[in-house]
Amino acid sequence: MISEGMDYLITRQSRFVTVYLPLILIMFVLLFPFYWMGTTSVKPNSELLDMSNHNPLWVSSPTLQHFEKLLFETEYPAWMWNTMLVAVVATFLSVVASVLAAYAIVRIKYKGAQTIGGLIFLAYLVPPSILFIPLSTVIFEYGLFDSPLALILSYPTILIPFSTWLLMGYFKTIPLSSRNAP
């Protein structure tokens, strides 16, 4: 008799060996770095530095001193604020520009719309590393060097082609209109 599909998983032992054991190993490999970060962040310095007398996988006396130092004795909150500001504003600008561009390319019928769509795809394929030198020159010439505004204006150069290409595919799936709609 020829077995079909996944008939070999009928017994509990074969299912454990072929499905659950690999899943357990993969989960351990994927989750262990998070466990290590969590335990390391709450270990006191004495446990971090003296591994011969302390188990590196377990915390015997947890502390929050590292979080206190990070939040109150460094510039981390300001750095986090700058990061969030740049990310939110650059994403907003990219999404607005991409929605407008993708909608215009897909919905407005004009000569060359397909060519523009292809050029946007080619712009998406350009490696960002090629843009670094010309982009840094422009940023330096405008006096924006070492400012959040430089990042806010340069990130969309990478995000807009990608987002436009994705949104073009989305807008193509939406029906043009329905004459029988109420």
Side-chain angles (χ1 to χ4, degrees):
M1 180 176 172
I2 298 173
S3 69
E4 294 182 22
M6 299 181 73
D7 288 343
Y8 65 93
L9 296 177
I10 291 175
T11 65
R12 181 176 285 183
Q13 291 84 7
S14 64
R15 191 176 321 125
F16 178 78
V17 170
T18 57
V19 176
Y20 296 116
L21 188 61
L23 281 176
I24 290 168
L25 290 173
I26 290 170
M27 282 183 52
F28 176 76
V29 168
L30 292 177
L31 295 178
F32 184 76
F34 294 101
Y35 171 77
W36 188 262
M37 285 187 299
T39 57
T40 303
S41 67
V42 295
K43 278 185 182 181
N45 287 337
S46 60
E47 287 186 34
L48 284 173
L49 299 173
D50 185 17
M51 289 204 186
S52 60
N53 294 329
H54 299 285
N55 185 352
L57 298 175
W58 189 250
V59 181
S60 58
S61 56
T63 181
L64 296 176
Q65 72 182 9
H66 300 292
F67 292 105
E68 182 180 337
K69 182 172 183 163
L70 176 71
L71 294 175
F72 301 112
E73 297 177 23
T74 66
E75 295 295 319
Y76 180 77
W79 299 334
M80 180 62 87
W81 167 252
N82 287 341
T83 301
M84 295 304 294
L85 176 73
V86 168
V88 168
V89 174
T91 302
F92 178 76
L93 291 174
S94 299
V95 168
V96 168
S98 298
V99 165
L100 296 174
Y103 187 82
I105 292 168
V106 171
R107 294 298 184 179
I108 299 173
K109 302 296 179 201
Y110 58 94
K111 188 176 182 176
Q114 294 294 334
T115 305
I116 290 175
L119 289 174
I120 286 177
F121 178 67
L122 289 176
Y124 164 62
L125 293 178
V126 172
S129 59
I130 292 176
L131 302 173
F132 289 155
I133 293 174
L135 197 56
S136 65
T137 304
V138 169
I139 287 169
F140 184 77
E141 290 295 323
Y142 280 110
L144 298 173
F145 188 73
D146 200 23
S147 71
L149 187 58
L151 293 174
I152 289 171
L153 295 176
S154 61
Y155 283 167
T157 61
I158 298 165
L159 295 173
I160 288 175
F162 174 70
S163 303
T164 303
W165 182 253
L166 286 179
L167 287 168
M168 284 171 56
Y170 171 71
F171 285 131
K172 286 179 184 176
T173 64
I174 299 174
L176 287 174
S177 67
S178 177
R179 303 240 181 226
N180 298 332

